[in-house]
Amino acid sequence: MTTKITRREDWTKRLNAYVLKVHHKKFNFKTWNCIIFANGAVKAMTGADLYKKFRGTYSNEHEAAEQLREIGSGTVYKTLRSIFGNSIPVAMAQRGDLVIIKNPYSVGICRGINSHFVGNDGETHGIIEVGTLTADYAFKVGR
């Protein structure tokens, strides 16, 4: 069962403001990771806080995986599918949709030809841009 999510009329302005506000935040698995980033973007665009049942329940990757099994749908992909419905071809992703890259595993926000992800490669912190078509999955976020 998917969740009905509708974008606000001024969603582009809200998404731009959100990305600008967080673009220098440094990765921290407990307080600033790809899921928190993606949820913040969805919340900015729609008002829906899809992360609230996970907030504060983990502090590392192992604990996050446990929480996905206990209160999510088992994996990040399956949890997003339960919220947004089936994934779409990445080439169909539009601004504001969620995208996933598998290696390294990360959820980001499509911004058009590029998508934004939380940087955590040991050198890059903040928001990094990756070509959208390099993503493996995409999910429509409202309309």
Side-chain angles (χ1 to χ4, degrees):
M1 176 199 246
T2 60
T3 304
K4 176 136 174 69
I5 298 173
T6 304
R7 293 188 189 191
R8 296 172 169 162
E9 198 169 300
D10 62 345
W11 70 268
T12 55
K13 179 180 174 185
R14 290 172 179 269
L15 178 60
N16 291 340
Y18 171 72
V19 171
L20 187 61
K21 177 182 172 184
V22 302
H23 80 281
H24 283 304
K25 287 183 87 166
K26 290 187 177 182
F27 176 86
N28 176 298
F29 204 91
K30 184 176 182 176
T31 61
W32 187 245
N33 60 53
C34 67
I35 300 298
I36 296 169
F37 168 63
N39 179 71
V42 170
K43 188 174 179 183
M45 293 184 294
T46 69
D49 183 359
L50 305 174
Y51 181 72
K52 60 185 164 190
K53 66 183 177 180
F54 293 98
R55 193 170 283 112
T57 64
Y58 63 87
S59 59
N60 58 51
E61 191 171 356
H62 176 75
E63 291 173 1
E66 286 178 355
Q67 292 306 309
L68 281 168
R69 287 189 295 274
E70 289 181 25
I71 59 179
S73 296
T75 66
V76 171
Y77 175 86
K78 289 178 181 177
T79 301
L80 292 177
R81 190 177 65 200
S82 74
I83 295 167
F84 298 105
N86 290 331
S87 62
I88 60 169
V90 173
M92 300 295 290
Q94 297 178 351
R95 289 180 305 134
D97 291 337
L98 296 181
V99 291
I100 296 175
I101 52 175
K102 291 192 293 190
N103 190 17
Y105 202 91
S106 189
V107 180
I109 301 296
C110 177
R111 302 286 283 163
I113 195 166
N114 291 312
S115 292
H116 289 162
F117 293 87
V118 174
N120 183 31
D121 66 2
E123 295 179 22
T124 307
H125 293 285
I127 303 302
I128 59 170
E129 286 190 348
V130 176
T132 296
L133 293 178
T134 65
D136 296 290
Y137 305 105
F139 291 92
K140 287 281 180 212
V141 176
R143 283 289 174 249

